[in-house]
Amino acid sequence: MEDTWSVEIWGVRGAAPAAYRDFLEYGGNTSCISVDCCGETVIFDAGTGLLELGRRLRKKGIKRVHILLSHLHMDHICGLYGFPLFLDAGAEIHLYGRAEEGRLRERLGALLCRPYWPYDATAFSARVEVHEVLPESVFRIKRGKEGDKAELTVRTLAGNHPGGSLLYRLEEGERSIVYGLDCETDGRMSAALQAFARDGKLLIWDANFTDEDLGRCAGWGHSSWRQGMELGRAAGAGLVLMTHYSREYTDCFLRGQQELAEREDDICRFAKEGMVIRI
């Protein structure tokens, strides 16, 4: 098996999908990024991009997935509605999210049910396990077949976002991916992020707003591509992938922002649905 991680982009928007013709180049689905860790599938967030990913997983016969939820705002979980593996009796789905006093399973169950959806979790054929995760903690995902001792390590950090969020660092050996969406930076947060993202191969960053728009959106819990670039430089990241764009930013606007960013530093890339990055 090729010893390379494959990172694929399925959703790039924040707040709500943008299903219009001026949004097709970068994409209109909400946050979802998959990582094929040499046969083990790890998914960051479950926005509407999860639906197409689920269809692809089913077509490939992939049965086991680990979904790491940054938080329970609707744009990050609405892809759970209709996720095809839930109805596959041979599937094994692990959902990870921020510990909420033992209520994560309860809160997910309250969303995945009537009247919001025609059926609830009791109808799932798959084996579904919910894991509560504390900020500043470490957990491991077994990789490979039963008896294989290889493990993926996941570290977490509390994000600065209304209601809270969880940032993830996925590691194995010298490879690492930092998923840093829905986090507003300030002095203390910047220092914590820099340590958390130190020497990461890939930093996936919340470029929800431009610096100009951040001024009128203080306290919303988001950041800009320029802040991501500065963090990437300070942390020694190999590549910074901008995503989670405002649903108001058209392809033309994002193209202009991408040109500005790449002119400053080739550490930056702007995510597009269908993009694949090898690590």
Side-chain angles (χ1 to χ4, degrees):
M1 182 180 295
E2 186 182 3
D3 189 28
T4 303
W5 286 4
S6 178
V7 182
E8 191 158 1
I9 314 304
W10 303 92
V12 301
R13 296 286 165 181
Y20 313 106
R21 114 182 99 184
D22 291 341
F23 297 80
L24 296 178
E25 180 182 345
Y26 288 83
N29 283 296
T30 61
S31 298
C32 183
I33 295 177
S34 68
V35 187
D36 179 352
C37 303
C38 303
E40 199 69 38
T41 301
V42 177
I43 302 166
F44 293 112
D45 271 329
T48 55
L50 182 67
L51 297 172
E52 177 59 20
L53 170 56
R55 188 186 71 82
R56 190 79 59 86
L57 292 171
R58 184 172 58 182
K59 186 175 181 181
K60 289 182 175 181
I62 294 173
K63 301 285 189 177
R64 182 170 63 188
V65 299
H66 302 267
I67 303 176
L68 279 54
L69 301 172
S70 61
H71 60 314
L72 299 187
H73 285 172
M74 286 303 298
D75 53 322
H76 293 260
I77 63 169
C78 53
L80 294 174
Y81 295 100
F83 182 51
L85 293 193
F86 280 138
L87 302 180
D88 185 332
E92 179 183 332
I93 301 166
H94 294 267
L95 293 168
Y96 303 80
R98 189 166 54 92
E100 301 190 20
E101 299 178 351
R103 298 181 61 196
L104 179 60
R105 177 182 288 275
E106 176 187 332
R107 289 185 174 179
L108 286 170
L111 291 167
L112 299 172
C113 67
R114 295 172 179 156
Y116 311 112
W117 196 245
Y119 56 83
D120 61 25
T122 62
F124 292 166
S125 305
R127 172 187 164 194
V128 180
E129 294 191 14
V130 177
H131 308 267
E132 295 212 342
V133 180
L134 290 168
E136 289 76 49
S137 67
V138 179
F139 63 94
R140 289 177 173 80
I141 296 172
K142 290 184 179 180
R143 184 165 72 80
K145 298 179 181 179
E146 195 68 32
D148 190 338
K149 295 182 179 180
E151 291 181 323
L152 302 167
T153 299
V154 183
R155 305 181 188 277
T156 65
L157 178 70
N160 181 21
H161 191 71
S165 65
L166 205 59
L167 314 184
Y168 295 98
R169 181 179 175 122
L170 178 67
E171 301 175 334
E172 185 182 41
E174 296 184 358
R175 276 179 298 210
S176 59
I177 297 172
V178 176
Y179 186 74
L181 267 58
D182 288 68
C183 183
E184 187 168 349
T185 61
D186 56 25
R188 179 188 293 180
M189 192 75 242
S190 294
L193 282 165
Q194 185 174 326
F196 190 65
R198 175 67 60 196
D199 296 329
K201 297 293 185 184
L202 174 64
L203 169 61
I204 300 170
W205 185 250
D206 182 332
N208 194 226
F209 295 120
T210 62
D211 282 346
E212 292 74 20
D213 285 342
L214 274 178
R216 63 177 177 80
C217 300
W220 289 25
H222 297 291
S223 54
S224 70
W225 62 257
R226 191 176 300 280
Q227 290 174 328
M229 177 189 294
E230 292 171 355
L231 172 62
R233 288 170 177 160
L239 182 69
V240 183
L241 182 68
M242 309 301 175
T243 187
H244 201 263
Y245 314 125
S246 167
R247 67 183 306 274
E248 297 178 358
Y249 291 172
T250 64
D251 289 333
C252 181
F253 182 82
L254 287 174
R255 208 177 300 124
Q257 294 299 304
Q258 180 175 344
E259 289 172 2
L260 285 172
E262 291 179 347
R263 204 175 301 150
E264 285 198 31
D265 198 324
D266 60 7
I267 195 175
C268 292
R269 291 185 69 180
F270 275 55
K272 295 181 179 180
E273 288 178 25
M275 177 185 286
V276 177
I277 297 171
R278 309 286 181 185
I279 295 179

